[in-house]
Amino acid sequence: MKLTGVELRRVAMPLVSPFRTSFGTETARDVLLVRVVTDGAEGWGECVAMSDPRYSSEYVDAAADVLRRFLVPTLAAAPRLDGNAVGRALSGFKGHWMAKAALETAVLDAELRSAGRSFGRELGAVREWVPCGVSVGIMDSVPELLDAVDGYLAEGYLRIKLKIEPGWDVEPVRAVRERFGDDVLLQVDANTAYTLGDARHLARLDPFGLLLIEQPLDEDDVAGHAELARMIGTPICLDESITSARTAAAAISMGACAIVNVKPGRVGGYLEARRIHDVCAAHGVPVWCGGMLETGLGRAANVALAALPGFTLPGDTSASRRYFETDITEPFELENGHLRVPDGPGLGVAPLPEVLAEVTTVTEWISC
Ligand code: NPG
């Protein structure tokens, strides 16, 4: 393939309800979309960086900047253009995993669309439908939380994840267990809000039979997670700490996690995400697909990834309406708690032109 140019497109997508985590509240997604134009097909990638560097050091203005100044020009000059070559071509630049992932995804999409192959097939999907969970933000009160969980269970979600932080942990978990029973698959996500000194407090979650506790400690503190794992009964899952297959292997061998959340944006793309899946599978460590409030474009790729055999736990791959009134693609809809894995060429979905035009705030064309 030959790269003709790359479009960076910013879209503004209001969320159906505010989403509060231990690091902040999102009320709208400011999404950066990457469209690569080649001598064959076009391809799309969604950058999962948020407006502010609170989940990680990345943020959407920085992603746009590094793409336009460094990543796109370097890729344009590379001798070979296909999905597998992108990571290597960009490896001279440190970090910026979310920006790199968006560009790699767009190139892969273009390549697969020309070849008539689907993302799922390319990655090694073995399922046509994937089981879905939902991530429930921190609320102002327990009754408000119970209403939200009630609504999601009624829609058919197969697993509930509660966002927690100091002051919003044991009581909400207890309330959800008391109201909905022990059979509900339930897990919690702290987004690094605790320290090892909170170990005894976190052990108070042990009686509730949680599937896992996600990223309780700082992302740098892999050794702390290994220690915490010896002090609490709930299995530890890492998210922010896992930035590559290599860090996944190291965390597993240190005993820092029993489960891994795979987010392609966090690790530089779907090909590295697949390598993490493979490393975890080799160690018997279950993985699940995380979410970053993606539009239908990012969701399509996540659902394909979640169809790989090692993804044995329901992911944060919820239906479009959990996030947006109107998605930029045909909406993903839940059927019996599952989403269908797209099987068309590439991502198998594309933005709807009228919707895309309506939500676009800026477009920028980079000629190659
Ligand atoms: O369903 O896409 C979703 C959201 C899942 O909780 C979710 N994502 O830390 O995993 C996370 C969290 C997140 C949301 C992270 C927004 C960053 C920004």
Side-chain angles (χ1 to χ4, degrees), residues 221-240:
D221 198 5
V222 176
H225 282 99
E227 204 162 322
L228 182 64
R230 292 190 282 272
M231 300 165 81
I232 67 175
T234 307
I236 292 180
C237 170
L238 290 178
D239 171 7
E240 285 90 330

mmCIF file of all heavy atoms in Angstrom, residues 221-240:
data_model
loop_
_atom_site.group_PDB
_atom_site.id
_atom_site.type_symbol
_atom_site.label_atom_id
_atom_site.label_comp_id
_atom_site.label_asym_id
_atom_site.label_seq_id
_atom_site.Cartn_x
_atom_site.Cartn_y
_atom_site.Cartn_z
ATOM 1 N N ASP A 221 3.505 0.882 40.506
ATOM 2 C CA ASP A 221 3.714 0.060 41.698
ATOM 3 C C ASP A 221 3.349 -1.411 41.475
ATOM 4 O O ASP A 221 2.465 -1.962 42.133
ATOM 5 C CB ASP A 221 2.898 0.653 42.864
ATOM 6 C CG ASP A 221 3.375 0.138 44.207
ATOM 7 O OD1 ASP A 221 4.394 -0.597 44.233
ATOM 8 O OD2 ASP A 221 2.726 0.446 45.218
ATOM 9 N N VAL A 222 4.061 -2.028 40.550
ATOM 10 C CA VAL A 222 3.784 -3.446 40.266
ATOM 11 C C VAL A 222 4.170 -4.304 41.473
ATOM 12 O O VAL A 222 3.431 -5.222 41.864
ATOM 13 C CB VAL A 222 4.524 -3.892 38.978
ATOM 14 C CG1 VAL A 222 4.330 -5.375 38.718
ATOM 15 C CG2 VAL A 222 4.007 -3.082 37.797
ATOM 16 N N ALA A 223 5.310 -3.955 42.099
ATOM 17 C CA ALA A 223 5.748 -4.710 43.292
ATOM 18 C C ALA A 223 4.706 -4.570 44.410
ATOM 19 O O ALA A 223 4.423 -5.533 45.138
ATOM 20 C CB ALA A 223 7.110 -4.214 43.766
ATOM 21 N N GLY A 224 4.139 -3.395 44.564
ATOM 22 C CA GLY A 224 3.096 -3.175 45.580
ATOM 23 C C GLY A 224 1.874 -4.047 45.319
ATOM 24 O O GLY A 224 1.273 -4.596 46.257
ATOM 25 N N HIS A 225 1.516 -4.202 44.044
ATOM 26 C CA HIS A 225 0.382 -5.081 43.722
ATOM 27 C C HIS A 225 0.685 -6.532 44.103
ATOM 28 O O HIS A 225 -0.191 -7.261 44.558
ATOM 29 C CB HIS A 225 0.012 -4.979 42.239
ATOM 30 C CG HIS A 225 -0.772 -3.742 41.897
ATOM 31 N ND1 HIS A 225 -0.189 -2.623 41.352
ATOM 32 C CD2 HIS A 225 -2.086 -3.442 42.035
ATOM 33 C CE1 HIS A 225 -1.108 -1.690 41.167
ATOM 34 N NE2 HIS A 225 -2.271 -2.158 41.573
ATOM 35 N N ALA A 226 1.957 -6.935 43.898
ATOM 36 C CA ALA A 226 2.331 -8.313 44.257
ATOM 37 C C ALA A 226 2.182 -8.513 45.766
ATOM 38 O O ALA A 226 1.703 -9.555 46.232
ATOM 39 C CB ALA A 226 3.765 -8.605 43.806
ATOM 40 N N GLU A 227 2.571 -7.489 46.520
ATOM 41 C CA GLU A 227 2.442 -7.578 47.977
ATOM 42 C C GLU A 227 0.969 -7.568 48.384
ATOM 43 O O GLU A 227 0.531 -8.371 49.213
ATOM 44 C CB GLU A 227 3.180 -6.394 48.606
ATOM 45 C CG GLU A 227 3.604 -6.652 50.023
ATOM 46 C CD GLU A 227 4.688 -5.668 50.444
ATOM 47 O OE1 GLU A 227 5.551 -5.357 49.607
ATOM 48 O OE2 GLU A 227 4.629 -5.226 51.590
ATOM 49 N N LEU A 228 0.221 -6.681 47.770
ATOM 50 C CA LEU A 228 -1.215 -6.592 48.088
ATOM 51 C C LEU A 228 -1.916 -7.921 47.795
ATOM 52 O O LEU A 228 -2.801 -8.351 48.541
ATOM 53 C CB LEU A 228 -1.860 -5.460 47.266
ATOM 54 C CG LEU A 228 -3.344 -5.204 47.531
ATOM 55 C CD1 LEU A 228 -3.565 -4.720 48.968
ATOM 56 C CD2 LEU A 228 -3.905 -4.177 46.544
ATOM 57 N N ALA A 229 -1.485 -8.578 46.701
ATOM 58 C CA ALA A 229 -2.108 -9.852 46.316
ATOM 59 C C ALA A 229 -1.977 -10.894 47.425
ATOM 60 O O ALA A 229 -2.809 -11.802 47.544
ATOM 61 C CB ALA A 229 -1.470 -10.373 45.029
ATOM 62 N N ARG A 230 -0.907 -10.756 48.251
ATOM 63 C CA ARG A 230 -0.725 -11.714 49.358
ATOM 64 C C ARG A 230 -1.559 -11.318 50.581
ATOM 65 O O ARG A 230 -1.673 -12.081 51.528
ATOM 66 C CB ARG A 230 0.770 -11.782 49.733
ATOM 67 C CG ARG A 230 1.619 -12.413 48.622
ATOM 68 C CD ARG A 230 3.051 -12.700 49.089
ATOM 69 N NE ARG A 230 3.867 -11.496 49.110
ATOM 70 C CZ ARG A 230 4.568 -11.027 48.076
ATOM 71 N NH1 ARG A 230 4.574 -11.692 46.934
ATOM 72 N NH2 ARG A 230 5.280 -9.931 48.182
ATOM 73 N N MET A 231 -2.135 -10.094 50.555
ATOM 74 C CA MET A 231 -2.832 -9.591 51.743
ATOM 75 C C MET A 231 -4.354 -9.562 51.602
ATOM 76 O O MET A 231 -5.070 -9.374 52.581
ATOM 77 C CB MET A 231 -2.336 -8.172 52.065
ATOM 78 C CG MET A 231 -0.839 -8.123 52.346
ATOM 79 S SD MET A 231 -0.194 -6.439 52.305
ATOM 80 C CE MET A 231 -0.654 -5.889 53.936
ATOM 81 N N ILE A 232 -4.852 -9.691 50.372
ATOM 82 C CA ILE A 232 -6.312 -9.670 50.182
ATOM 83 C C ILE A 232 -6.746 -10.907 49.400
ATOM 84 O O ILE A 232 -5.939 -11.529 48.695
ATOM 85 C CB ILE A 232 -6.801 -8.383 49.460
ATOM 86 C CG1 ILE A 232 -6.305 -8.316 48.006
ATOM 87 C CG2 ILE A 232 -6.355 -7.127 50.227
ATOM 88 C CD1 ILE A 232 -6.861 -7.127 47.220
ATOM 89 N N GLY A 233 -8.021 -11.243 49.531
ATOM 90 C CA GLY A 233 -8.523 -12.447 48.869
ATOM 91 C C GLY A 233 -9.016 -12.179 47.453
ATOM 92 O O GLY A 233 -8.992 -13.069 46.597
ATOM 93 N N THR A 234 -9.462 -10.953 47.175
ATOM 94 C CA THR A 234 -9.996 -10.647 45.840
ATOM 95 C C THR A 234 -8.852 -10.684 44.820
ATOM 96 O O THR A 234 -7.811 -10.064 45.047
ATOM 97 C CB THR A 234 -10.637 -9.232 45.837
ATOM 98 O OG1 THR A 234 -11.577 -9.149 46.907
ATOM 99 C CG2 THR A 234 -11.320 -8.945 44.520
ATOM 100 N N PRO A 235 -9.041 -11.387 43.692
ATOM 101 C CA PRO A 235 -7.980 -11.423 42.667
ATOM 102 C C PRO A 235 -7.686 -10.021 42.128
ATOM 103 O O PRO A 235 -8.608 -9.216 41.936
ATOM 104 C CB PRO A 235 -8.571 -12.306 41.564
ATOM 105 C CG PRO A 235 -9.652 -13.100 42.239
ATOM 106 C CD PRO A 235 -10.191 -12.233 43.338
ATOM 107 N N ILE A 236 -6.404 -9.757 41.900
ATOM 108 C CA ILE A 236 -6.013 -8.444 41.380
ATOM 109 C C ILE A 236 -5.899 -8.506 39.854
ATOM 110 O O ILE A 236 -5.302 -9.431 39.291
ATOM 111 C CB ILE A 236 -4.684 -7.978 41.999
ATOM 112 C CG1 ILE A 236 -4.927 -7.686 43.495
ATOM 113 C CG2 ILE A 236 -4.137 -6.738 41.282
ATOM 114 C CD1 ILE A 236 -3.710 -7.227 44.250
ATOM 115 N N CYS A 237 -6.497 -7.486 39.219
ATOM 116 C CA CYS A 237 -6.408 -7.317 37.767
ATOM 117 C C CYS A 237 -5.656 -6.018 37.513
ATOM 118 O O CYS A 237 -5.925 -5.017 38.175
ATOM 119 C CB CYS A 237 -7.822 -7.227 37.186
ATOM 120 S SG CYS A 237 -7.876 -6.727 35.456
ATOM 121 N N LEU A 238 -4.721 -6.016 36.584
ATOM 122 C CA LEU A 238 -4.023 -4.770 36.252
ATOM 123 C C LEU A 238 -4.544 -4.185 34.944
ATOM 124 O O LEU A 238 -4.870 -4.906 33.991
ATOM 125 C CB LEU A 238 -2.511 -5.002 36.181
ATOM 126 C CG LEU A 238 -1.843 -5.281 37.536
ATOM 127 C CD1 LEU A 238 -0.353 -5.560 37.360
ATOM 128 C CD2 LEU A 238 -2.066 -4.126 38.520
ATOM 129 N N ASP A 239 -4.617 -2.867 34.933
ATOM 130 C CA ASP A 239 -5.007 -2.108 33.737
ATOM 131 C C ASP A 239 -3.860 -1.140 33.414
ATOM 132 O O ASP A 239 -2.968 -1.462 32.624
ATOM 133 C CB ASP A 239 -6.331 -1.368 34.029
ATOM 134 C CG ASP A 239 -6.740 -0.380 32.946
ATOM 135 O OD1 ASP A 239 -6.095 -0.345 31.892
ATOM 136 O OD2 ASP A 239 -7.720 0.376 33.145
ATOM 137 N N GLU A 240 -3.830 0.008 34.102
ATOM 138 C CA GLU A 240 -2.849 1.060 33.800
ATOM 139 C C GLU A 240 -1.399 0.554 33.805
ATOM 140 O O GLU A 240 -0.561 1.053 33.049
ATOM 141 C CB GLU A 240 -2.978 2.216 34.805
ATOM 142 C CG GLU A 240 -4.183 3.128 34.592
ATOM 143 C CD GLU A 240 -5.436 2.690 35.349
ATOM 144 O OE1 GLU A 240 -5.599 1.452 35.571
ATOM 145 O OE2 GLU A 240 -6.262 3.544 35.714
#
